[in-house]
Amino acid sequence: MLVRLANGQTDFIDFRERAPAAASHDMYLGPDGKPTTDSVEGYRASGIPGTVSGMEYAHLKFGKRPWKELVQPAIDLARNGFPVSWDFARSLHDPQSIAKLEKFEDSKRIFLNDGKGYQFGDTLKQPELTATLERIRDFGAAGFYEGPVAHKIAEDMRAHGGLLTEKDLANYKTIDRPALTGKYKNYTVITAPPPSSGGVGILQMMGVLEGTDYARTGAGSAREYHFLAEAMRRFFADRSEWMGDPEFFKVPVTSLLNPATIAALRASINPDHATPSSEIKPGVYTTNESTQTTHFSIVDPEGNAVSVTYTLNGGFGSGVTASGLGFLLNNEMDDFAPKPGSPNYYGLIQGEANSIAPGKTPLSSMTPTILLQDGKLRAVLGTPGGPTIINSVLQVALNLMDFGMNAQQAVDQPRIHHQWMPDKLLAEETISPDTIDLLRTKYGHDMILRPRIGEMAVIRLDNGWIEGAPDGRTEGTAKGF
Ligand code: DON
């Protein structure tokens, strides 16, 4: 959670999942040395959940209204139910989701309606979750990390070979970190520090692009997308080697964002042709320096801004519903490198910097971001989407800063994604066929077309005018106060 108060104070609240004490470097390797699916599905996939602690931390530090009043609407929705939306119904009918959820008793009963499924417009009621939320309402984070809820989670884990213990839950701590801040032209970019890779990512890529005339041929031109893809490819190579939990690995943030590093990356781009990823290696940096996801963006009437991305990781997390408690558990352990050098669920190649260790935080791509222009709040943005988060935030920020788009135009503009390995350029199908053709034939990109990349939630401010732009790719909404 990235916060910027109207008085200019900024804060980054890290309530990311952390590895349980019993986690170990090779815990997801089978006897043959190959990664198993345990980091993605089932009881062993969960890191220690952080959301409840993070929300309480934010409330204690910045909140004004009583905690009970804030939790009550969630309780009402859980108890009385809410209508299943089209997008939620679609995801509940997705064969992969069904295959995952039906393996776990509570998940099958609650989310698959005991095998009967939910249709658009059906009411989903969650009595166990109601009781869990009531404890959180009455006892704060202690209602989750201690007492009967913690006990039940741990008991369920013990019964099914999971690792989370009561001690892991009791020891969970939200970490207050300084936000990462950089410059792009006359904008200040306030964003996520490690253990997210996203803030460093967008700042490095903006730095690379700032020194080019990538914007000259206009938004949506093949040449623009080519420059973006080349900046993305290079950042994700660095990410694979140099990024992980800063408590365990010295992330060379200053070197990754050093003007000389950025100039060298820029110089290595061929403006006319794709560089094969096999020719791009992570940079060499010294570390002797000090050292299914949701996003919401908020600006209040006083001008305080909050940008929050949080997640269970994959759709429906590990697939496991904590027995009798009514909520799904995450599969965030897969954000580590289950086998350094081999791809994880998102196909990301990652190294020792992001290997598993007890208490360590898995590297993230979540990139909640705030833009200031001449010191004034100009935009609040972020998105779900795994590694595509970093590139979606980059592109929407550039659409606002370089192409003068309003919030909705910036969100609607088709997006691309490159993550170094695999050496593929993902592109939304709505990009013009001429552009796709040029990217393939003229610039030599190996392309895969996708219906959608990212699901942005953007607020843009302009001289007292506030625009909220949800992403038409799915069913986000914007609300005024
Ligand atoms: O922290 C990360 O980078 C991932 N756990 C985010 C996962 C995600 O965005 C999935 N949503 N579509």
Side-chain angles (χ1 to χ4, degrees):
M1 178 185 292
L2 176 65
V3 178
R4 181 182 184 266
L5 299 184
N7 68 11
Q9 182 193 341
T10 62
D11 198 1
F12 187 81
I13 303 177
D14 164 7
F15 54 93
R16 175 95 167 138
E17 300 72 19
R18 313 202 195 282
S24 58
H25 190 277
D26 295 337
M27 63 185 281
Y28 297 120
L29 301 187
D32 56 358
K34 293 200 177 119
T36 63
T37 57
D38 281 7
S39 65
V40 181
E41 190 174 291
Y43 285 84
R44 281 163 52 81
S46 294
I48 312 166
T51 306
V52 181
S53 164
M55 295 293 157
E56 181 182 71
Y57 189 93
H59 176 256
L60 289 173
K61 189 157 180 184
F62 297 113
K64 290 188 185 150
R65 288 166 59 188
W67 174 255
K68 288 185 182 202
E69 217 178 88
L70 297 172
V71 182
Q72 191 59 44
I75 296 174
D76 297 342
L77 285 170
R79 175 181 289 116
N80 306 328
F82 63 88
V84 171
S85 67
W86 66 264
D87 196 44
F88 186 34
R90 187 182 61 177
S91 72
L92 287 170
H93 286 276
D94 171 61
Q96 265 186 318
S97 306
I98 294 176
K100 193 197 274 197
L101 292 168
E102 70 185 1
K103 287 185 196 143
F104 307 101
E105 202 182 303
D106 279 29
S107 302
K108 182 175 177 192
R109 178 170 47 79
I110 299 171
F111 298 105
L112 301 178
N113 199 10
D114 231 349
K116 296 188 285 290
Y118 286 103
Q119 304 304 326
F120 168 61
D122 286 353
T123 301
L124 177 63
K125 294 186 185 178
Q126 299 171 92
E128 291 109 321
L129 183 62
T130 307
T132 303
L133 290 169
E134 280 171 343
R135 287 202 71 82
I136 294 171
R137 176 194 62 195
D138 296 341
F139 301 101
F144 183 86
Y145 294 95
E146 295 165 29
V149 172
H151 180 71
K152 269 195 161 166
I153 297 174
E155 204 174 46
D156 203 18
M157 284 282 162
R158 269 193 297 276
H160 295 95
L163 300 185
L164 281 181
T165 63
E166 269 154 306
K167 206 161 162 209
D168 283 325
L169 290 161
N171 287 342
Y172 184 87
K173 280 198 180 41
T174 286
I175 303 177
D176 201 322
R177 301 180 184 277
L180 181 66
T181 300
K183 284 262 169 224
Y184 180 73
K185 298 184 178 170
N186 64 342
Y187 289 86
T188 303
V189 180
I190 307 169
T191 184
S196 178
S197 56
V200 171
I202 63 170
L203 288 174
Q204 189 192 77
M205 292 189 282
M206 284 174 184
V208 166
L209 293 165
E210 188 174 354
T212 68
D213 64 347
Y214 89 99
R216 177 170 55 80
T217 42
S221 62
R223 188 173 163 284
E224 185 234 0
Y225 282 129
H226 169 67
F227 272 94
L228 290 177
E230 293 304 306
M232 292 170 184
R233 184 200 307 280
R234 284 159 178 78
F235 165 66
F236 274 87
D238 276 348
R239 183 190 189 279
S240 75
E241 181 84 14
W242 292 107
M243 301 210 71
D245 180 357
E247 316 288 328
F248 285 74
F249 176 85
K250 273 197 164 185
V251 181
V253 174
T254 311
S255 307
L256 288 163
L257 298 179
N258 184 315
T261 305
I262 287 176
L265 289 170
R266 189 188 303 125
S268 74
I269 294 178
N270 178 343
D272 300 318
H273 206 272
T275 314
S277 286
S278 54
E279 288 174 19
I280 304 281
K281 301 281 173 261
V284 177
Y285 301 114
T286 50
T287 52
N288 56 350
E289 56 178 53
S290 58
T291 75
Q292 194 112 25
T293 310
T294 298
H295 181 89
F296 48 96
S297 298
I298 302 171
V299 178
D300 78 2
E302 291 162 23
N304 302 301
V306 177
S307 182
V308 187
T309 316
Y310 78 104
T311 181
L312 295 177
N313 192 26
F316 303 101
S318 65
V320 174
T321 299
S323 260
L325 298 171
F327 58 87
L328 286 159
L329 291 163
N330 67 78
N331 59 350
E332 216 67 79
M333 293 294 283
D334 189 69
D335 275 351
F336 283 116
K339 179 172 182 173
S342 296
N344 74 348
Y345 177 71
Y346 294 112
L348 286 169
I349 307 276
Q350 314 182 90
E352 281 301 331
N354 189 30
S355 62
I356 305 173
K360 191 171 173 182
T361 307
L363 182 64
S364 177
S365 297
M366 294 187 281
T367 316
T369 296
I370 291 172
L371 304 178
L372 310 181
Q373 190 177 26
D374 303 324
K376 281 212 205 89
L377 184 64
R378 286 306 303 270
V380 184
L381 60 159
T383 180
T388 69
I389 291 173
I390 306 174
N391 293 331
S392 297
V393 170
L394 172 76
Q395 289 168 87
V396 173
L398 294 172
N399 289 340
L400 295 172
M401 298 189 295
D402 282 340
F403 297 113
M405 295 186 191
N406 67 33
Q408 197 63 61
Q409 290 168 328
V411 168
D412 292 348
Q413 180 70 12
R415 298 195 271 263
I416 59 164
H417 172 71
H418 201 298
Q419 61 178 46
W420 175 52
M421 299 284 186
D423 190 352
K424 303 276 180 203
L425 179 59
L426 268 49
E428 289 187 319
E429 300 164 345
T430 47
I431 294 179
S432 105
D434 302 14
T435 303
I436 292 173
D437 195 43
L438 283 170
L439 284 165
R440 276 207 175 108
T441 52
K442 177 170 177 330
Y443 292 100
H445 288 282
D446 187 356
M447 300 192 57
I448 299 180
L449 299 188
R450 281 285 151 84
R452 62 178 164 127
I453 296 172
E455 195 180 337
M456 296 286 305
V458 178
I459 298 174
R460 173 178 169 269
L461 301 95
D462 190 2
N463 287 321
W465 173 252
I466 303 184
E467 296 165 5
D471 203 323
R473 288 162 180 81
T474 53
E475 54 176 18
T477 51
K479 274 200 166 186
F481 42 75

